[in-house]
Amino acid sequence: MKLEQSKFLGITKNRYDYESYSISLVNYHEPVSEEWHYHENTHISLILQGGNMESRKNGDFQVTTGEIMFYNEGELHCNKYTAFPSKNLNIEFKNDFLNKNELAPKHFTKSNIQNIDTYLSLLNVYNEFRLGDLYSANTIDFSLNQLLKSEDNSSHIPIWVLHLKEIIEDRWDEFISLNELAATFNVHPVTISKYFRKYYNCTLGDYMRKIKIEKALSLLIDTDKPIIEISDICGFSDQSHMIKVFKAYIGFLPNQIRSL
């Protein structure tokens, strides 16, 4: 079964057609077709709520809230056991967008798509999509171009930089000083700052904040814990700090996440 441009199995609540791509907010409140199907255009889906079991030629896998899915033009798949309600943000690229920006499927690697930066960027796109003012189109266009032109350079990252990133991710609920990391790896603090920005396109502090946001998002979506408790669990200095960081990085307040 072929789905034409801007057509999805769920109910499209909102859609906006930009020059080279379209954005759709799709809701699932009742069972839809579980037939194998494909889409006319390449698209990315951010799972805002719910999820399902997805089948592709390489097997079945569970899709849950917060995951990012990439679909090549004409790629066969089917969706089963959808959790209700579910909600997806779909960004569908027209061929001229891919050609104009010299993009091909190789740009949509797992490391490029399924990571913290992509997740936060897509939440920003969703925020702009909901805002929908005169500046939103330009802001979304810039965000997508920056996002999709990222390159996977993991094979070139020094081992110690990879280990440094692992420590930060393992101790995500702590504040780790630059001096402590410098002592651990026996390098100068300036070297750490320089290399981290070079390979991860953000400062060490930015990355630490992004991890805390990611963990907090999971708790906001999957639990009923009060925001003040989540801010403490995730290592924010207090609730107001968490609110400030959320607003700066994704454009949403913590309490708005629960009503996406």
Side-chain angles (χ1 to χ4, degrees):
M1 177 171 64
K2 176 182 177 180
L3 294 182
E4 304 289 342
Q5 180 177 310
S6 301
K7 299 296 183 183
F8 299 94
L9 294 177
I11 304 299
T12 299
K13 183 180 178 182
N14 301 101
R15 186 179 80 235
Y16 192 89
D17 288 315
Y18 295 85
E19 181 180 353
S20 301
Y21 52 87
S22 64
I23 299 179
S24 303
L25 186 61
V26 182
N27 291 334
Y28 298 82
H29 293 290
E30 58 186 30
V32 296
S33 172
E34 295 185 352
E35 291 184 51
W36 286 86
H37 62 279
Y38 64 92
H39 297 267
E40 180 179 6
N41 292 328
T42 295
H43 76 279
I44 292 175
S45 289
L46 169 63
I47 314 303
L48 293 166
Q49 184 182 19
N52 58 261
M53 179 69 71
E54 177 153 316
S55 298
R56 297 198 189 186
K57 65 179 182 180
N58 58 344
D60 301 339
F61 50 93
Q62 188 67 41
V63 179
T64 58
T65 302
E67 291 196 61
I68 302 161
M69 305 300 297
F70 170 71
Y71 300 87
N72 278 306
E73 171 191 346
E75 183 173 12
L76 278 172
H77 60 284
C78 70
N79 310 104
K80 301 178 180 179
Y81 311 116
T82 300
F84 302 119
S86 285
K87 183 186 298 184
N88 296 354
L89 176 73
N90 295 332
I91 303 174
E92 184 178 15
F93 303 101
K94 301 170 187 176
N95 286 331
D96 57 342
F97 180 87
L98 299 178
N99 295 335
K100 181 176 68 176
N101 294 284
E102 300 180 346
L103 294 170
K106 67 179 181 179
H107 290 84
F108 300 91
T109 63
K110 184 176 181 180
S111 59
N112 277 351
I113 296 301
Q114 198 67 259
N115 58 56
I116 296 173
D117 286 329
T118 306
Y119 182 31
L120 299 185
S121 293
L122 289 178
L123 281 176
N124 260 315
V125 168
Y126 177 45
N127 184 48
E128 284 292 339
F129 176 59
R130 296 206 318 171
L131 183 61
D133 66 13
L134 294 173
Y135 309 103
S136 293
N138 285 337
T139 304
I140 290 173
D141 195 58
F142 176 80
S143 296
L144 291 178
N145 276 283
Q146 292 298 108
L147 175 67
L148 299 177
K149 286 186 176 179
S150 62
E151 297 287 343
D152 179 16
N153 61 0
S154 59
S155 60
H156 307 296
I157 301 177
I159 295 297
W160 72 268
V161 178
L162 291 172
H163 288 167
L164 181 149
K165 182 169 174 280
E166 288 173 359
I167 287 176
I168 294 171
E169 291 174 349
D170 288 342
R171 297 169 57 186
W172 60 270
D173 57 344
E174 303 177 34
F175 171 76
I176 311 172
S177 71
L178 190 56
N179 287 335
E180 179 184 345
L181 292 171
T184 299
F185 293 99
N186 195 28
V187 296
H188 196 279
V190 172
T191 301
I192 287 182
S193 297
K194 177 182 176 181
Y195 274 68
F196 201 89
R197 181 187 287 274
K198 176 181 179 181
Y199 291 109
Y200 296 112
N201 298 315
C202 66
T203 67
L204 197 63
D206 278 335
Y207 195 74
M208 289 177 174
R209 292 189 193 100
K210 289 175 183 178
I211 293 175
K212 292 183 189 300
I213 292 172
E214 182 184 41
K215 300 297 183 181
L217 283 167
S218 177
L219 290 172
L220 286 166
I221 293 168
D222 298 331
T223 76
D224 295 323
K225 294 181 183 296
I227 293 175
I228 190 169
E229 183 179 347
I230 293 174
S231 69
D232 184 55
I233 291 171
C234 294
F236 292 98
S237 56
D238 53 32
Q239 182 176 335
S240 63
H241 177 225
M242 177 175 163
I243 291 171
K244 183 177 180 180
V245 171
F246 262 62
K247 188 66 176 176
Y249 279 79
I250 60 175
F252 287 100
L253 300 177
N255 63 345
Q256 292 176 313
I257 296 297
R258 284 178 164 156
S259 60
L260 291 182

